[in-house]
Amino acid sequence: MQKIKSLMTRQGLKSPPESLSDLGAIESLRVPGKHVTPDSYIPCLADLCKALWEVMLSYYRTMEWHEKHDNEDTTSASEGSNIGTEETNFDRGYIKKKLEHGLTRIWQDVQLKVKTYLLGTDLSIFKYDDFIFVLDIISRLMQVGEEFCGSKSEVLQESIRKQSVNYFKNYHRTRLDELRMFLENETWELCPVKSNFSILQLHEFKFMEQSRSPSVSPSKQPASTSSKTVTLFEQYCSDGNPFEIQANHKDEETEDVLASNGYESDEQEKSAYQEYDSDSDVPEELKRDYVDEQTGDAPVKSVSRETLKSRKKSDYSLNKVNAPILTNTTLNVIRLVGKYMQMMNILKPIAFDVIHFMSQLFDYYLYAIYTFFGRNDSLESTGLGLSSSRLRTTLNRIQESLIDMEVSADPTATLTAAEERKEKVPSPHLSHLVVLTSGDTLYGLAERVVATESLVFLAEQFEFLQPHLDAVMPAVKKPFLQQFYSQTVSTASELRKPIYWIVAGKAIDYEQMLLLMANVKWDVKEIMSQHNIYVDALLKEFEQFNRRLNEVSKRVRIPLPVSNILWEHCIRLANRTIVEGYANVKKCSNEGRALMQLDFQQFLMKLEKLTDIRPIPDKEFVETYIKAYYLTENDMERWIKEHREYSTKQLTNLVNVCLGSHINKKARQKLLAAIDDIDRPKR
């Protein structure tokens, strides 16, 4: 060190610092540690980085001067005498080598000072925007380190990783508790958003539209008109400080841009709709009670002003028909996901932790929807596979890993068990304001649609984000992400079946139909030409269901897949009830079977006028059962073995009714034994 100082003194230069300890001005820079309050933490961090930047900038200028001075001397030497050239070149080479070596030493000292400051305060109590701002400052400092000496800043990365993991665990736990509170207070009303709503319109996702350097927050990236990348040292060599830009942009970064994020308040929605009642911009001729209207060569006809208004309102409704179905809670979850991704974008070493916590947000939302609207123990007894094995596995996994099923803490529990409970959230409870027991509203169908379709919408947003998450997920952790999407996100739409099945099971009075069918005489001696009254009663139930469905659709848009599922469920339940009614028959003649066919054909003919569902669900289920009555002994035995979709009771009744007509007692015993063989594995 003494030699380089003497060499530089000989050249008329002050000695460059080999480390921060050699700089008297920086020696007085002390890291305050515990004496820093949360309010002063960020300004102090910014001032520390500014001071350290000035040190590195001075060193950068020193090296720049030497490079320029050496070039000038080399030019002069080539034009003049070569006396002393070798010694001069040696001195220059030695100085350059020592200066380059000093880069790493200085940057190491910078990292250690900032590390001490970073780890000296618990950042878990910081607001999210303040913590993101700290990450931005450190990210900018790491960029400085890379430009200064090519360092990857392992010391800073590890320090900020520790603080980030600690902060994020606390932050995520608080957000999960908030999500539970939101869900328990949610009344499942539509959140009115524009038909072209996109999550990229939200402030939290703006960074995705301006993807730049992975280590620097996009909003802080200085604009550059040159295609060549300008380093921070080149940009701020003569004036300014890169950490002053951060402070200037803080307010802009934390601003809520609700007015331009695609969300429309109730007042905006109301005013948008009321503008169609306003006459302020209506031509004078349209203000008359009736207006002459002509289309093509058709005769002129008079159209009322109210009709024209109605058409305009209808046009407005059509514009809203494709608006996504979501709630305020859904929007909050989406915003949270955006915030999580912001942190992940700035600090990729904790990407797995962040994505894992993001998956828990989706898990909890899905579990809540199922708990509120889809949990019904009688569903599985139907044997219709309403809940796929994948969905059941997912729900069980969420319940075991995320849901705290215990009412209160057990004082005798082990420390490990207590820690595990800290990671879990109590199961949410549906708000008492949500009524699911009224037949007039189809048992809360509007709320069920909003809840279920908001989950489907949330799943679609996760699908949209998958490439971005996959890009930052460590390679060894990618299987977790793939499993989350294949086993959880993709099951969101599968919740439709069990949730809407509950509505379908109550919307039609199937029990009343069974009672009416029990009063029918089936052992008639002549072929009937008139169907039975239970068919008319069932069709009236479907007509009432259709009316109520239309009423609900005035409150909430019912997507076509939802409407189809509801109709399929109701028709399937009705057809299975018909078979059950036929299976209760004690005596039945050939003419009685013909009457069953007549009844069912009448039902199908009228039903097809009410719905566009084709083919009619379980149509063959009924027709096949009726036709089985005519089978011979051998054919019936084969038929029984091939049709395991019917219950033991339904098959047994079929055999018993046929006894005495074309099946004897011996054949009956044989057929009942075949039924028993089929039923035995189910026990």
Side-chain angles (χ1 to χ4, degrees):
M1 188 64 190
Q2 292 299 323
K3 185 173 182 179
I4 190 173
K5 286 181 178 179
S6 63
L7 286 171
M8 295 188 68
T9 302
R10 207 165 53 193
Q11 295 182 20
L13 289 172
K14 292 183 179 179
S15 301
E18 189 176 14
S19 68
L20 291 183
S21 58
D22 291 314
L23 288 167
I26 299 304
E27 185 62 29
S28 62
L29 194 152
R30 295 283 185 261
V31 178
K34 296 179 181 178
H35 301 289
V36 178
T37 65
D39 290 339
S40 62
Y41 184 88
I42 291 178
C44 286
L45 177 61
D47 288 343
L48 174 63
C49 290
K50 287 178 187 177
L52 295 172
W53 161 260
E54 293 296 337
V55 172
M56 290 181 283
L57 181 60
S58 296
Y59 203 91
Y60 172 81
R61 287 170 176 167
T62 300
M63 293 190 68
E64 194 178 48
W65 184 92
H66 272 284
E67 185 176 347
K68 180 180 179 182
H69 182 73
D70 290 349
N71 290 337
E72 290 176 354
D73 287 353
T74 302
T75 303
S76 301
S78 62
E79 295 174 355
S81 173
N82 289 330
I83 301 174
T85 301
E86 290 185 7
E87 182 182 354
T88 303
N89 288 339
F90 174 79
D91 290 345
R92 288 171 184 160
Y94 182 79
I95 293 172
K96 182 178 181 181
K97 183 178 179 180
K98 292 295 288 184
L99 286 173
E100 289 175 348
H101 178 67
L103 288 172
T104 305
R105 295 285 300 275
I106 288 178
W107 178 243
Q108 191 66 14
D109 283 342
V110 168
Q111 288 192 86
L112 291 175
K113 284 198 175 289
V114 177
K115 172 188 174 181
T116 304
Y117 185 82
L118 277 176
L119 299 181
T121 301
D122 182 8
L123 303 185
S124 63
I125 61 172
F126 277 37
K127 294 179 180 177
Y128 174 83
D129 289 321
D130 289 339
F131 186 75
I132 288 294
F133 189 55
V134 171
L135 293 185
D136 281 336
I137 293 177
I138 302 304
S139 295
R140 176 58 65 92
L141 186 61
M142 286 192 286
Q143 184 185 0
V144 169
E146 189 167 357
E147 293 179 4
F148 187 65
C149 62
S151 171
K152 296 301 180 182
S153 308
E154 288 84 358
V155 174
L156 283 180
Q157 286 199 35
E158 179 59 21
S159 301
I160 202 65
R161 189 195 68 80
K162 288 180 180 178
Q163 282 284 27
S164 296
V165 171
N166 179 50
Y167 175 85
F168 208 73
K169 282 184 177 178
N170 287 277
Y171 179 80
H172 176 63
R173 175 66 211 201
T174 305
R175 300 292 81 77
L176 276 178
D177 288 334
E178 284 182 358
L179 178 56
R180 178 167 70 94
M181 180 188 70
F182 284 135
L183 288 166
E184 292 185 337
N185 289 279
E186 180 65 71
T187 56
W188 305 104
E189 297 287 337
L190 274 176
C191 174
V193 293
K194 296 176 181 177
S195 58
N196 64 344
F197 172 77
S198 165
I199 60 173
L200 295 179
Q201 297 167 342
L202 298 175
H203 167 75
E204 289 80 1
F205 291 91
K206 289 296 182 183
F207 73 94
M208 291 178 62
E209 294 182 326
Q210 306 168 4
S211 180
R212 299 191 188 178
S213 172
S215 63
V216 186
S217 178
S219 59
K220 316 289 195 314
Q221 187 81 355
S224 175
T225 55
S226 172
S227 59
K228 178 186 175 183
T229 302
V230 179
T231 68
L232 295 174
F233 285 96
E234 292 171 341
Q235 186 175 353
Y236 298 103
C237 183
S238 58
D239 186 36
N241 190 303
F243 299 99
E244 288 177 354
I245 291 180
Q246 301 235 6
N248 292 339
H249 279 266
K250 182 180 177 183
D251 290 338
E252 177 186 329
E253 192 64 8
T254 58
E255 182 182 1
D256 187 6
V257 289
L258 188 64
S260 61
N261 68 1
Y263 174 82
E264 294 175 322
S265 67
D266 291 338
E267 288 302 316
Q268 288 173 311
E269 178 87 357
K270 183 178 178 182
S271 63
Y273 192 81
Q274 284 180 340
E275 72 180 27
Y276 293 102
D277 285 329
S278 172
D279 289 337
S280 59
D281 59 348
V282 178
E284 283 300 320
E285 64 170 318
L286 296 182
K287 293 183 180 180
R288 300 196 297 268
D289 289 339
Y290 285 88
V291 179
D292 291 338
E293 181 181 71
Q294 184 175 23
T295 305
D297 297 329
V300 175
K301 60 180 180 180
S302 186
V303 181
S304 71
R305 186 174 165 216
E306 290 304 317
T307 299
L308 292 175
K309 277 190 177 183
S310 176
R311 288 180 187 173
K312 292 188 74 178
K313 288 184 178 181
S314 176
D315 291 340
Y316 174 75
S317 299
L318 286 173
N319 290 332
K320 301 294 288 181
V321 75
N322 292 322
I325 297 177
L326 67 157
T327 68
N328 288 322
T329 303
T330 323
L331 202 58
N332 281 329
V333 172
I334 293 173
R335 288 185 182 279
L336 267 182
V337 169
K339 289 183 176 181
Y340 283 27
M341 290 187 67
Q342 282 181 26
M343 183 177 291
M344 189 169 54
N345 190 57
I346 295 171
L347 198 67
K348 290 181 173 57
I350 66 164
F352 171 70
D353 301 274
V354 177
I355 292 175
H356 174 63
F357 290 144
M358 278 174 57
S359 72
Q360 289 188 341
L361 294 176
F362 187 86
D363 285 349
Y364 196 68
Y365 195 90
L366 182 148
Y367 186 83
I369 301 301
Y370 167 74
T371 304
F372 293 166
F373 303 105
R375 176 175 282 169
N376 192 319
D377 295 334
S378 64
L379 288 179
E380 301 308 320
S381 63
T382 61
L384 296 177
L386 295 172
S387 298
S388 66
S389 59
R390 183 175 62 166
L391 178 58
R392 290 194 299 272
T393 301
T394 296
L395 291 169
N396 289 335
R397 176 190 61 77
I398 295 173
Q399 183 167 301
E400 291 172 5
S401 63
L402 187 60
I403 307 302
D404 184 3
M405 303 302 291
E406 298 181 31
V407 178
S408 58
D410 182 1
T412 63
T414 63
L415 182 62
T416 304
E419 287 298 319
E420 287 179 356
R421 287 197 64 202
K422 280 185 179 180
E423 304 295 324
K424 296 184 176 183
V425 194
S427 181
H429 301 286
L430 182 64
S431 170
H432 68 279
L433 297 176
V434 181
V435 179
L436 304 178
T437 56
S438 173
D440 292 336
T441 62
L442 280 179
Y443 305 93
L445 178 59
E447 289 80 2
R448 293 177 192 271
V449 168
V450 171
T452 310
E453 301 314 304
S454 71
L455 173 65
V456 173
F457 177 77
L458 185 61
E460 290 171 352
Q461 308 318 302
F462 269 81
E463 293 282 3
F464 169 73
L465 295 172
Q466 184 177 6
H468 304 276
L469 301 180
D470 189 69
V472 296
M473 180 66 106
V476 294
K477 299 292 186 179
K478 284 185 186 292
F480 167 83
L481 187 65
Q482 294 165 358
Q483 185 176 21
F484 169 64
Y485 273 92
S486 63
Q487 297 295 321
T488 305
V489 176
S490 61
T491 62
S493 59
E494 293 181 17
L495 268 182
R496 284 170 169 167
K497 279 192 173 182
I499 288 175
Y500 297 135
W501 178 269
I502 295 174
V503 174
K506 298 177 179 179
I508 307 293
D509 192 347
Y510 306 101
E511 291 298 324
Q512 178 63 23
M513 186 172 70
L514 283 175
L515 293 175
L516 291 173
M517 293 179 73
N519 295 326
V520 176
K521 183 177 175 64
W522 298 104
D523 56 344
V524 292
K525 301 301 182 184
E526 59 183 29
I527 296 179
M528 309 295 290
S529 60
Q530 180 63 36
H531 62 270
N532 286 297
I533 60 171
Y534 75 86
V535 176
D536 295 325
L538 180 57
L539 288 168
K540 283 183 180 179
E541 289 283 326
F542 272 97
E543 289 170 356
Q544 184 183 51
F545 168 73
N546 193 32
R547 286 194 299 271
R548 287 176 174 174
L549 194 60
N550 289 332
E551 286 299 318
V552 173
S553 66
K554 293 177 182 178
R555 284 183 54 199
V556 175
R557 176 176 65 86
I558 299 181
L560 184 59
V562 175
S563 176
N564 288 344
I565 288 175
L566 282 165
W567 275 101
E568 287 174 8
H569 281 344
C570 287
I571 295 170
R572 180 167 280 112
L573 279 168
N575 284 338
R576 289 180 175 264
T577 304
I578 289 174
V579 170
E580 188 65 21
Y582 293 161
N584 291 332
V585 175
K586 302 300 181 186
K587 295 180 180 180
C588 183
S589 61
N590 286 340
E591 291 79 8
R593 287 290 166 179
L595 180 56
M596 290 179 181
Q597 288 181 317
L598 174 65
D599 289 346
F600 188 59
Q601 292 305 316
Q602 178 70 14
F603 170 65
L604 292 178
M605 183 180 68
K606 294 292 182 68
L607 181 65
E608 288 176 348
K609 295 179 181 179
L610 293 175
T611 177
D612 294 327
I613 298 294
R614 300 291 186 276
I616 296 296
D618 280 353
K619 175 184 174 184
E620 293 79 8
F621 184 78
V622 181
E623 293 177 337
T624 304
Y625 188 78
I626 296 173
K627 293 174 182 177
Y629 178 85
Y630 302 104
L631 296 174
T632 62
E633 174 189 337
N634 292 334
D635 289 339
M636 184 171 286
E637 183 178 3
R638 185 170 58 254
W639 183 90
I640 287 172
K641 292 178 179 179
E642 292 174 352
H643 291 79
R644 301 193 176 191
E645 66 269 25
Y646 298 100
S647 68
T648 301
K649 173 196 169 184
Q650 291 166 351
L651 294 174
T652 302
N653 178 270
L654 183 64
V655 173
N656 288 333
V657 170
C658 292
L659 179 65
S661 60
H662 57 283
I663 291 180
N664 57 37
K665 289 185 178 181
K666 184 178 179 180
R668 173 179 175 271
Q669 292 302 323
K670 182 180 178 182
L671 292 172
L672 291 178
I675 294 172
D676 190 61
D677 290 341
I678 294 173
D679 185 56
R680 190 174 291 116
K682 300 178 184 177
R683 297 171 189 167

